[in-house]
């Protein structure tokens, strides 16, 4: 049986899922979330680039 994961467009691993894997974070959590989402978007773009370019 296949599980369907709902993700927003442009997301490989959503922040909510990654946040649960990490130890408790201190500091500016909004900054960490923003950086994670930017890096995740780069991964998404890279995967699409490989898919359509080759």
């Amino acid at each position: 049986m296949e599980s369907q994961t709902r993700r927003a467009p442009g997301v490989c691993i959503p922040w909510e899922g990654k946040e649960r894997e990490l130890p408790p974070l201190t500091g500016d959590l909004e900054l960490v979330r923003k950086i994670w989402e930017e890096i995740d978007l780069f991964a998404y773009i890279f995967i699409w680039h490989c898919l359509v370019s080759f």
Side-chain angles (χ1 to χ4, degrees):
M1 183 173 173
E2 245 182 79
S3 68
Q4 292 184 352
T5 305
R6 301 259 180 206
R7 291 187 177 108
V11 175
C12 293
I13 301 173
W15 169 246
E16 294 76 22
K18 188 63 179 176
E19 186 178 24
R20 282 184 245 126
E21 297 175 5
L22 299 172
L25 300 173
T26 58
D28 189 353
L29 297 178
E30 193 60 28
L31 178 62
V32 175
R33 181 195 60 78
K34 179 179 178 279
I35 292 172
W36 172 260
E37 289 176 349
E38 289 175 0
I39 292 171
D40 187 68
L41 178 61
F42 293 144
Y44 184 86
I45 292 169
F46 176 75
I47 292 168
W48 269 106
H49 173 71
C50 290
L51 180 67
V52 298
S53 295
F54 301 106

